[in-house]
Amino acid sequence: GGGGGSRGLGDCEAPGTHTGPCRRPSLAMDKPVATAVVQTMSEPGVKGMVCASAPMGLAVAVAGIAPMDAAGFAQSLATRAHALEPKQPRPTVVIETTSGMKVLVRSNDKVTVAVYSQVT
């Protein structure tokens, strides 16, 4: 399992805590975002994720191993990737690290998401 499996939305922790499946930097996190975090974290191989508000890149949800300060970087990366072909749908950016981690970055008009998973 990925770490969030059967846990509910109430398991999102207060800012600055790292014990639960979801850390939120503000108490105003939308229920749809919290639901998406719980669902994504339950996927096999998922180790963490960060959700950033678009276009500002402020963290709205963080879970697992994902660092909170990755929110702005993910937003910037998604924006720059879309600038390569602005008339096309927003691309998914895939980063593979030498430590065997894969980070998928995807964006829409409201949120940018970076999902950290273990490469198999």
PDB file of all heavy atoms in Angstrom, residues 23-37:
ATOM      1  N   ARG A  23      -0.266  16.366   5.212  1.00  0.00           N
ATOM      2  CA  ARG A  23       0.032  17.564   5.988  1.00  0.00           C
ATOM      3  C   ARG A  23      -0.517  18.738   5.199  1.00  0.00           C
ATOM      4  O   ARG A  23      -0.316  18.842   4.013  1.00  0.00           O
ATOM      5  CB  ARG A  23       1.545  17.721   6.153  1.00  0.00           C
ATOM      6  CG  ARG A  23       2.174  16.517   6.800  1.00  0.00           C
ATOM      7  CD  ARG A  23       3.664  16.688   6.994  1.00  0.00           C
ATOM      8  NE  ARG A  23       4.419  17.162   5.865  1.00  0.00           N
ATOM      9  CZ  ARG A  23       4.896  16.405   4.879  1.00  0.00           C
ATOM     10  NH1 ARG A  23       4.646  15.133   4.835  1.00  0.00           N
ATOM     11  NH2 ARG A  23       5.625  16.936   3.918  1.00  0.00           N
ATOM     12  N   ARG A  24      -1.202  19.618   5.849  1.00  0.00           N
ATOM     13  CA  ARG A  24      -1.739  20.760   5.117  1.00  0.00           C
ATOM     14  C   ARG A  24      -1.204  22.056   5.706  1.00  0.00           C
ATOM     15  O   ARG A  24      -1.270  22.269   6.914  1.00  0.00           O
ATOM     16  CB  ARG A  24      -3.253  20.748   5.114  1.00  0.00           C
ATOM     17  CG  ARG A  24      -3.850  20.722   6.487  1.00  0.00           C
ATOM     18  CD  ARG A  24      -5.351  20.602   6.402  1.00  0.00           C
ATOM     19  NE  ARG A  24      -5.858  20.411   7.751  1.00  0.00           N
ATOM     20  CZ  ARG A  24      -7.068  20.056   8.032  1.00  0.00           C
ATOM     21  NH1 ARG A  24      -7.919  19.851   7.065  1.00  0.00           N
ATOM     22  NH2 ARG A  24      -7.458  19.898   9.260  1.00  0.00           N
ATOM     23  N   PRO A  25      -0.687  22.936   4.853  1.00  0.00           N
ATOM     24  CA  PRO A  25      -0.143  24.187   5.340  1.00  0.00           C
ATOM     25  C   PRO A  25      -1.197  25.183   5.770  1.00  0.00           C
ATOM     26  O   PRO A  25      -0.884  26.110   6.477  1.00  0.00           O
ATOM     27  CB  PRO A  25       0.657  24.718   4.155  1.00  0.00           C
ATOM     28  CG  PRO A  25       0.313  23.889   3.002  1.00  0.00           C
ATOM     29  CD  PRO A  25      -0.430  22.688   3.468  1.00  0.00           C
ATOM     30  N   SER A  26      -2.451  25.005   5.344  1.00  0.00           N
ATOM     31  CA  SER A  26      -3.490  25.906   5.812  1.00  0.00           C
ATOM     32  C   SER A  26      -4.733  25.090   6.130  1.00  0.00           C
ATOM     33  O   SER A  26      -4.930  24.001   5.602  1.00  0.00           O
ATOM     34  CB  SER A  26      -3.821  26.960   4.752  1.00  0.00           C
ATOM     35  OG  SER A  26      -4.655  26.413   3.769  1.00  0.00           O
ATOM     36  N   LEU A  27      -5.556  25.622   6.986  1.00  0.00           N
ATOM     37  CA  LEU A  27      -6.773  24.914   7.359  1.00  0.00           C
ATOM     38  C   LEU A  27      -7.857  25.075   6.305  1.00  0.00           C
ATOM     39  O   LEU A  27      -8.931  24.507   6.427  1.00  0.00           O
ATOM     40  CB  LEU A  27      -7.267  25.430   8.714  1.00  0.00           C
ATOM     41  CG  LEU A  27      -6.310  25.185   9.870  1.00  0.00           C
ATOM     42  CD1 LEU A  27      -6.857  25.799  11.145  1.00  0.00           C
ATOM     43  CD2 LEU A  27      -6.032  23.711  10.055  1.00  0.00           C
ATOM     44  N   ALA A  28      -7.568  25.816   5.231  1.00  0.00           N
ATOM     45  CA  ALA A  28      -8.558  26.078   4.198  1.00  0.00           C
ATOM     46  C   ALA A  28      -8.459  25.083   3.032  1.00  0.00           C
ATOM     47  O   ALA A  28      -8.939  25.358   1.954  1.00  0.00           O
ATOM     48  CB  ALA A  28      -8.375  27.500   3.674  1.00  0.00           C
ATOM     49  N   MET A  29      -7.829  23.946   3.251  1.00  0.00           N
ATOM     50  CA  MET A  29      -7.686  22.975   2.181  1.00  0.00           C
ATOM     51  C   MET A  29      -9.066  22.494   1.743  1.00  0.00           C
ATOM     52  O   MET A  29      -9.896  22.127   2.555  1.00  0.00           O
ATOM     53  CB  MET A  29      -6.837  21.789   2.627  1.00  0.00           C
ATOM     54  CG  MET A  29      -6.581  20.797   1.509  1.00  0.00           C
ATOM     55  SD  MET A  29      -5.382  19.535   1.899  1.00  0.00           S
ATOM     56  CE  MET A  29      -6.137  18.699   3.267  1.00  0.00           C
ATOM     57  N   ASP A  30      -9.309  22.510   0.439  1.00  0.00           N
ATOM     58  CA  ASP A  30     -10.589  22.076  -0.105  1.00  0.00           C
ATOM     59  C   ASP A  30     -10.790  20.586   0.110  1.00  0.00           C
ATOM     60  O   ASP A  30      -9.848  19.800   0.020  1.00  0.00           O
ATOM     61  CB  ASP A  30     -10.648  22.351  -1.596  1.00  0.00           C
ATOM     62  CG  ASP A  30     -10.663  23.825  -1.937  1.00  0.00           C
ATOM     63  OD1 ASP A  30     -11.128  24.630  -1.114  1.00  0.00           O
ATOM     64  OD2 ASP A  30     -10.221  24.143  -3.043  1.00  0.00           O
ATOM     65  N   LYS A  31     -12.036  20.194   0.336  1.00  0.00           N
ATOM     66  CA  LYS A  31     -12.347  18.780   0.492  1.00  0.00           C
ATOM     67  C   LYS A  31     -11.982  17.976  -0.755  1.00  0.00           C
ATOM     68  O   LYS A  31     -11.447  16.880  -0.632  1.00  0.00           O
ATOM     69  CB  LYS A  31     -13.818  18.594   0.863  1.00  0.00           C
ATOM     70  CG  LYS A  31     -14.155  17.172   1.212  1.00  0.00           C
ATOM     71  CD  LYS A  31     -15.557  17.036   1.740  1.00  0.00           C
ATOM     72  CE  LYS A  31     -15.829  15.579   2.098  1.00  0.00           C
ATOM     73  NZ  LYS A  31     -17.149  15.406   2.670  1.00  0.00           N
ATOM     74  N   PRO A  32     -12.226  18.494  -1.994  1.00  0.00           N
ATOM     75  CA  PRO A  32     -11.808  17.723  -3.171  1.00  0.00           C
ATOM     76  C   PRO A  32     -10.297  17.470  -3.215  1.00  0.00           C
ATOM     77  O   PRO A  32      -9.860  16.410  -3.643  1.00  0.00           O
ATOM     78  CB  PRO A  32     -12.255  18.585  -4.350  1.00  0.00           C
ATOM     79  CG  PRO A  32     -13.365  19.412  -3.817  1.00  0.00           C
ATOM     80  CD  PRO A  32     -13.008  19.664  -2.376  1.00  0.00           C
ATOM     81  N   VAL A  33      -9.508  18.461  -2.770  1.00  0.00           N
ATOM     82  CA  VAL A  33      -8.052  18.276  -2.739  1.00  0.00           C
ATOM     83  C   VAL A  33      -7.702  17.205  -1.715  1.00  0.00           C
ATOM     84  O   VAL A  33      -6.905  16.300  -1.983  1.00  0.00           O
ATOM     85  CB  VAL A  33      -7.321  19.600  -2.431  1.00  0.00           C
ATOM     86  CG1 VAL A  33      -5.832  19.367  -2.208  1.00  0.00           C
ATOM     87  CG2 VAL A  33      -7.539  20.600  -3.558  1.00  0.00           C
ATOM     88  N   ALA A  34      -8.296  17.274  -0.533  1.00  0.00           N
ATOM     89  CA  ALA A  34      -8.024  16.283   0.512  1.00  0.00           C
ATOM     90  C   ALA A  34      -8.419  14.885   0.042  1.00  0.00           C
ATOM     91  O   ALA A  34      -7.689  13.916   0.265  1.00  0.00           O
ATOM     92  CB  ALA A  34      -8.784  16.643   1.791  1.00  0.00           C
ATOM     93  N   THR A  35      -9.550  14.781  -0.650  1.00  0.00           N
ATOM     94  CA  THR A  35      -9.991  13.486  -1.175  1.00  0.00           C
ATOM     95  C   THR A  35      -8.997  12.956  -2.197  1.00  0.00           C
ATOM     96  O   THR A  35      -8.636  11.774  -2.174  1.00  0.00           O
ATOM     97  CB  THR A  35     -11.389  13.621  -1.820  1.00  0.00           C
ATOM     98  OG1 THR A  35     -12.302  14.069  -0.826  1.00  0.00           O
ATOM     99  CG2 THR A  35     -11.867  12.294  -2.384  1.00  0.00           C
ATOM    100  N   ALA A  36      -8.522  13.829  -3.089  1.00  0.00           N
ATOM    101  CA  ALA A  36      -7.542  13.424  -4.096  1.00  0.00           C
ATOM    102  C   ALA A  36      -6.240  12.970  -3.449  1.00  0.00           C
ATOM    103  O   ALA A  36      -5.623  11.995  -3.900  1.00  0.00           O
ATOM    104  CB  ALA A  36      -7.282  14.568  -5.067  1.00  0.00           C
ATOM    105  N   VAL A  37      -5.814  13.645  -2.384  1.00  0.00           N
ATOM    106  CA  VAL A  37      -4.590  13.257  -1.682  1.00  0.00           C
ATOM    107  C   VAL A  37      -4.743  11.860  -1.094  1.00  0.00           C
ATOM    108  O   VAL A  37      -3.884  10.991  -1.274  1.00  0.00           O
ATOM    109  CB  VAL A  37      -4.222  14.279  -0.579  1.00  0.00           C
ATOM    110  CG1 VAL A  37      -3.122  13.746   0.319  1.00  0.00           C
ATOM    111  CG2 VAL A  37      -3.811  15.600  -1.206  1.00  0.00           C
TER     112      VAL A  37
END
